[in-house]
Amino acid sequence: MKLEVGNFQVKSVIFGSQTSFNNGVLTINKEEALEVVYEDERIISADIVIARPGDSTRITPVKEAVEPRYKVSGGVLFPGVTNKLMQVGSGRTHALKGTSVLAVGKHWGGFQDGLIDMSGPGSKQTMFSELLNICLVADTNEDFEKNEQQKKNEALRWGAMRLAEYLGSCVKDLEPEDMDVYHHHPLDEQTEEIQNLPGVVYVLQLQSQMLDTGYNAMVYGWDVSRMLPTFMSPNELLDGAVVSGSFMPASSKISTYQHVNNLVLKQLMNEHGETINFLGVIVSNLNTQLDEKERAALQVQNLATLLGAQGAIISEEGYGNPDIDFILTYNNLENAGIKVVGITNECTGNDGKSQPLVDLSEKANAIVSTGNVSEHLKLGPMEKVIGELEAVARDGNSGGWAESIKEDGSIEIENNGMFCADSATGNHFKTVVEY
């Protein structure tokens, strides 16, 4: 399986009469772009606003991030979701790098929606402050969801995916500036030299705690809560087979943008044939019932063992209840003789002194922390707000509370509410210092 991703580096985004890309400038015909958004009759109000790195701009409630892309070799983006079901992971995809489409609520937010600051201390919490963000700010006619803490946000998330594909289409016939090429060969085609290297699998634990469909992450359009752990080619993930869900405190979320730009996955592919034999990805889930957790951990162990893995990296999307899945899987793999490194965030309280994970194990002795969700942040006012600042305090943002917003526009918020601040895919610039 060979995947080519042709890159076009976006240096500026402006509005104009024709959607096009030229000399690093992405021009958007706003009227035409919004027609793509309004294809969903649930969306009753929409606008597109540009947020640039360094701007005195605060964006909230942010629901999803999608990289503008277009499949140029006859395939599709987001299979089983906004397009027909078919395999991805091969052929050529063109990507507008350095930019993302953000789905932002015009009014209503919720537990799973986050905040992005484009400058100041808050910008250090999330990688999206470094991107040119094309903000789809919209509202829907779904009155039943306005007062729900948990929102599916389907209309806005799907709208962001359609808009990202529309924008990506402007480079479908252009020659990319550079190309990333990803090879993943069947295991029986590996050379003897590669087979002699330590076999490593990547275990991606996706959020699936909601019993009702529409909230959880999806693989080829299938709700992750309804699947057993599955072995996949890394190329499939890097080409859009996984779509982010709408359940998870915002800082722990893995956005769709991050799934196709998963840096842990890319680094494993870079090491393939050099230091390791990267076998592929085991996509797992994070469940609510103990028997489901045990079953998933057992299946991950079985797949890793059958593949001949000697090492594994686990990325957990979330914390709290999912920590049990994380530790069960960690233990099972270690008990099978497979050495594990885990990647997760922590919930250690405002003072950092609480137990970091709900479940612990002596076997889990190699963990990369991506941050403390309870870290208390005080962020000054911004000149511009995209979306609605009141949503942080009013609608149950996982890091906000009733007094979060001050009269001058400054806020107090836990890291919990910062969009994708602690994602376990390597797409951030935080570091950990051991004292």
Side-chain angles (χ1 to χ4, degrees):
M1 185 175 283
K2 177 183 176 182
L3 172 65
E4 298 177 333
V5 179
N7 300 314
F8 298 81
Q9 301 297 329
V10 180
K11 300 175 183 177
S12 177
V13 181
I14 61 174
F15 294 111
S17 60
Q18 182 179 359
T19 298
S20 61
F21 179 80
N22 186 38
N23 292 327
V25 178
L26 173 62
T27 303
I28 303 173
N29 179 322
K30 183 188 287 192
E31 182 179 354
E32 190 173 275
L34 287 174
E35 288 179 3
V36 175
V37 174
Y38 282 122
E39 289 175 6
D40 189 329
E41 61 184 15
R42 293 173 294 180
I43 297 178
I44 55 174
S45 174
D47 193 13
I48 298 173
V49 184
I50 309 303
R52 299 171 176 84
D55 286 354
S56 181
T57 299
R58 179 162 288 150
I59 314 169
T60 191
V62 183
K63 303 169 182 296
E64 168 69 302
V66 187
E67 183 170 65
R69 289 182 161 210
Y70 196 83
K71 196 73 181 178
V72 298
S73 58
V76 300
L77 295 181
F78 318 118
V81 185
T82 57
N83 285 305
K84 64 182 180 180
L85 179 61
M86 62 185 300
Q87 186 173 3
V88 294
S90 60
R92 181 184 287 193
T93 299
H94 283 180
L96 291 167
K97 309 302 290 187
T99 186
S100 76
V101 173
L102 299 180
V104 183
K106 183 176 181 179
H107 295 298
W108 307 103
F111 174 77
Q112 66 288 310
D113 299 336
L115 180 145
I116 297 171
D117 276 355
M118 297 302 294
S119 61
S123 67
K124 302 302 182 184
Q125 296 294 318
T126 171
M127 62 161 287
F128 289 96
S129 65
E130 296 190 330
L131 298 178
L132 289 160
N133 291 305
I134 301 160
C135 302
L136 169 60
V137 187
D139 201 1
T140 75
N141 62 5
E142 298 168 298
D143 290 335
F144 72 94
E145 272 206 345
K146 289 180 180 178
N147 296 313
E148 292 290 328
Q149 187 185 44
Q150 294 293 345
K151 296 175 173 62
K152 293 184 180 181
N153 289 326
E154 184 181 287
L156 300 189
R157 292 191 291 133
W158 267 233
M161 284 185 273
R162 292 196 308 277
L163 178 57
E165 185 171 11
Y166 162 78
L167 295 175
S169 69
C170 74
V171 294
K172 64 181 180 181
D173 297 321
L174 302 183
E175 191 62 30
E177 299 162 28
D178 58 78
M179 190 91 69
D180 293 321
V181 181
Y182 304 100
H183 294 277
H184 186 246
H185 299 291
L187 299 183
D188 62 352
E189 294 182 9
Q190 306 280 20
T191 66
E192 183 177 351
E193 181 181 5
I194 290 177
Q195 289 180 11
N196 288 332
L197 293 171
V200 176
V201 293
Y202 179 49
V203 181
L204 179 61
Q205 293 183 310
L206 297 172
Q207 189 52 239
S208 61
Q209 288 183 270
M210 294 297 282
L211 299 180
D212 190 15
T213 59
Y215 296 93
N216 300 315
M218 293 184 293
V219 176
Y220 282 105
W222 188 252
D223 193 295
V224 175
S225 68
R226 301 187 173 191
M227 61 178 273
L228 282 171
T230 301
F231 179 67
M232 297 179 66
S233 164
N235 287 18
E236 294 175 272
L237 276 69
L238 295 175
D239 204 25
V242 177
V243 167
S244 175
S246 187
F247 172 78
M248 193 68 260
S251 72
S252 305
K253 189 192 298 289
I254 302 174
S255 66
T256 299
Y257 178 101
Q258 290 163 303
H259 281 305
V260 297
N261 288 288
N262 186 316
L263 289 181
V264 175
L265 187 56
K266 288 183 178 182
Q267 186 60 31
L268 287 168
M269 298 185 79
N270 287 339
E271 294 297 322
H272 177 69
E274 300 293 332
T275 61
I276 63 171
N277 176 10
F278 181 38
L279 302 168
V281 184
I282 299 174
V283 177
S284 187
N285 42 21
L286 296 162
N287 307 285
T288 55
Q289 303 298 319
L290 183 57
D291 63 329
E292 296 171 347
K293 296 174 184 292
E294 292 173 337
R295 184 178 297 110
L298 177 62
Q299 181 68 358
V300 170
Q301 174 197 326
N302 288 342
L303 288 170
T305 301
L306 289 170
L307 290 166
Q310 297 164 269
I313 293 179
I314 305 175
S315 285
E316 175 192 4
E317 184 181 21
Y319 67 95
N321 185 290
D323 292 342
I324 301 170
D325 305 72
F326 177 69
I327 293 298
L328 277 171
T329 303
Y330 206 122
N331 281 343
N332 277 25
L333 290 171
E334 287 281 344
N335 288 339
I338 299 170
K339 296 298 182 182
V340 180
V341 173
I343 308 175
T344 182
N345 58 10
E346 308 173 51
C347 185
T348 56
N350 291 156
D351 59 3
K353 296 180 180 179
S354 299
Q355 179 174 308
L357 304 177
V358 167
D359 195 11
L360 297 173
S361 168
E362 291 183 355
K363 292 184 173 66
N365 57 9
I367 293 179
V368 177
S369 171
T370 61
N372 174 20
V373 301
S374 302
E375 180 185 357
H376 191 93
L377 304 172
K378 293 184 178 181
L379 305 175
M382 292 285 170
E383 295 176 6
K384 180 179 182 180
V385 174
I386 298 175
E388 188 170 67
L389 187 59
E390 291 75 11
V392 173
R394 184 191 63 213
D395 299 333
N397 176 298
S398 52
W401 55 90
E403 293 80 27
S404 284
I405 306 170
K406 311 307 176 184
E407 290 186 5
D408 65 352
S410 62
I411 62 172
E412 292 187 33
I413 192 172
E414 286 187 346
N415 177 50
N416 230 335
M418 303 299 292
F419 185 70
C420 296
D422 310 327
S423 297
T425 56
N427 301 85
H428 50 77
F429 42 72
K430 290 184 179 181
T431 188
V432 176
V433 177
E434 184 176 346
Y435 293 96

